[in-house]
Amino acid sequence: METTQRQQTESRIRELRQAIEALEQELNKDDDAVKEHAMIDHLDQYIDAVDTKVSSLKAFWQSLKQEWKTR
């Protein structure tokens, strides 16, 4: 009877370890998702900055063309 109880205890410990490993994997997936969202947000900010620079360059180019035409 004692051997059976020990085997059951060991089996339960294995199950708990597997459950903990599964939870850790899920947590890592969540961390990766958070990192991906942060990267996407950063990319959006970068694209906005590039758009602003392009708009500024276009405005500068238009004013430069206008200045050349008046000379």
Side-chain angles (χ1 to χ4, degrees), residues 48-65:
D48 288 342
V50 170
D51 283 343
T52 300
K53 289 187 185 273
V54 168
S55 296
S56 296
L57 183 57
K58 284 181 179 180
F60 171 73
W61 179 247
Q62 291 301 322
S63 65
L64 189 59
K65 282 184 1 182

Side-chain angles (χ1 to χ4, degrees), residues 13-25:
I13 289 170
R14 278 192 299 276
E15 290 173 5
L16 290 171
R17 284 182 179 158
Q18 290 173 348
I20 289 171
E21 287 176 11
L23 288 171
E24 286 175 338
Q25 289 175 356

Side-chain angles (χ1 to χ4, degrees), residues 1-61:
M1 189 82 167
E2 192 174 296
T3 304
T4 304
Q5 186 177 5
R6 180 180 172 98
Q7 289 174 342
Q8 289 174 344
T9 302
E10 288 174 348
S11 176
R12 182 71 178 136
I13 289 170
R14 278 192 299 276
E15 290 173 5
L16 290 171
R17 284 182 179 158
Q18 290 173 348
I20 289 171
E21 287 176 11
L23 288 171
E24 286 175 338
Q25 289 175 356
E26 196 65 33
L27 181 61
N28 288 336
K29 286 180 187 177
D30 289 345
D31 284 347
D32 290 344
V34 168
K35 288 176 186 175
E36 286 177 11
H37 286 293
M39 288 172 48
I40 289 170
D41 289 343
H42 181 69
L43 183 58
D44 281 342
Q45 292 170 353
Y46 177 75
I47 289 172
D48 288 342
V50 170
D51 283 343
T52 300
K53 289 187 185 273
V54 168
S55 296
S56 296
L57 183 57
K58 284 181 179 180
F60 171 73
W61 179 247

